[in-house]
């Protein structure tokens, strides 16, 4: 699965990248702005998205665009989970910082399973 890392804190981005790669995923990024994320969205299956990016508190708006326009699954990874409230419709998960490796791997596994299920369902329709 292709995992885009949308995070403006370099050390956090590198850790997310390492975790995703060790779990067997291909990573895209890290990217730190909405513009960069939208440029790489067509190549992504899932995105690990921080709420606060280098261009401001833009993660929630970015997530909506990734899901609606590109069909990218979104997992929020944020130090401010309360800003997500009851969630953003369609987001797969909200993970609080600091996070554990197991929590990230688990969320990516669920995303992969959901994508596989959707793929199998679409093949059955054909």
């Amino acid at each position: 699965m292709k995992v885009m890392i949308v995070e403006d804190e370099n050390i956090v981005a590198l850790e997310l990248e390492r975790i995703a790669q060790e779990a067997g995923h291909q990573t895209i990024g890290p990217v730190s702005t909405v513009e960069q994320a939208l440029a790489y969205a067509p190549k992504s299956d899932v995105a690990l998205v921080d709420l606060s990016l280098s261009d401001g508190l833009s993660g929630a708006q970015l997530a909506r665009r990734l899901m609606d326009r590109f069909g990218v699954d979104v997992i929020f990874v944020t130090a401010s989970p309360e800003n997500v409230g009851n969630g953003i419709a369609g987001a797969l998960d909200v993970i609080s910082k600091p996070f554990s490796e197991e929590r990230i791997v688990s969320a990516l596994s669920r995303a992969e399973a959901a994508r596989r299920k959707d793929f199998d369902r679409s093949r059955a329709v054909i």
Side-chain angles (χ1 to χ4, degrees), residues 29-44:
V31 300
S32 61
T33 67
V34 169
E35 184 178 334
Q36 292 170 336
L38 292 174
Y40 287 102
K43 300 175 183 179
S44 306

Side-chain angles (χ1 to χ4, degrees), residues 4-126:
M4 179 169 45
I5 311 295
V6 186
E7 171 63 62
D8 64 340
E9 292 181 50
N10 195 41
I11 194 151
V12 175
L14 292 173
E15 181 66 2
L16 289 170
E17 184 177 44
R18 180 195 65 76
I19 292 168
Q21 288 175 352
E22 286 183 3
H25 304 290
Q26 179 183 349
T27 56
I28 297 169
V31 300
S32 61
T33 67
V34 169
E35 184 178 334
Q36 292 170 336
L38 292 174
Y40 287 102
K43 300 175 183 179
S44 306
D45 297 315
V46 65
L48 300 173
V49 178
D50 189 9
L51 285 179
S52 179
L53 302 175
S54 62
D55 51 3
L57 289 172
S58 49
Q61 294 83 7
L62 169 64
R64 180 85 275 138
R65 291 170 76 182
L66 291 174
M67 290 184 283
D68 292 346
R69 192 187 306 168
F70 300 99
V72 174
D73 292 323
V74 171
I75 299 167
F76 287 105
V77 182
T78 180
S80 306
E82 67 278 0
N83 290 340
V84 179
N86 291 327
I88 292 177
L92 296 179
D93 206 343
V94 179
I95 299 173
S96 298
K97 291 179 186 175
F99 52 82
S100 69
E101 184 169 337
E102 295 78 24
R103 185 78 169 86
I104 299 295
V105 170
S106 174
L108 290 173
S109 293
R110 285 193 314 278
E112 189 170 37
R115 284 198 157 264
R116 196 171 27 251
K117 187 176 179 181
D118 286 345
F119 177 75
D120 291 343
R121 203 174 308 147
S122 70
R123 288 184 56 198
V125 173
I126 297 174

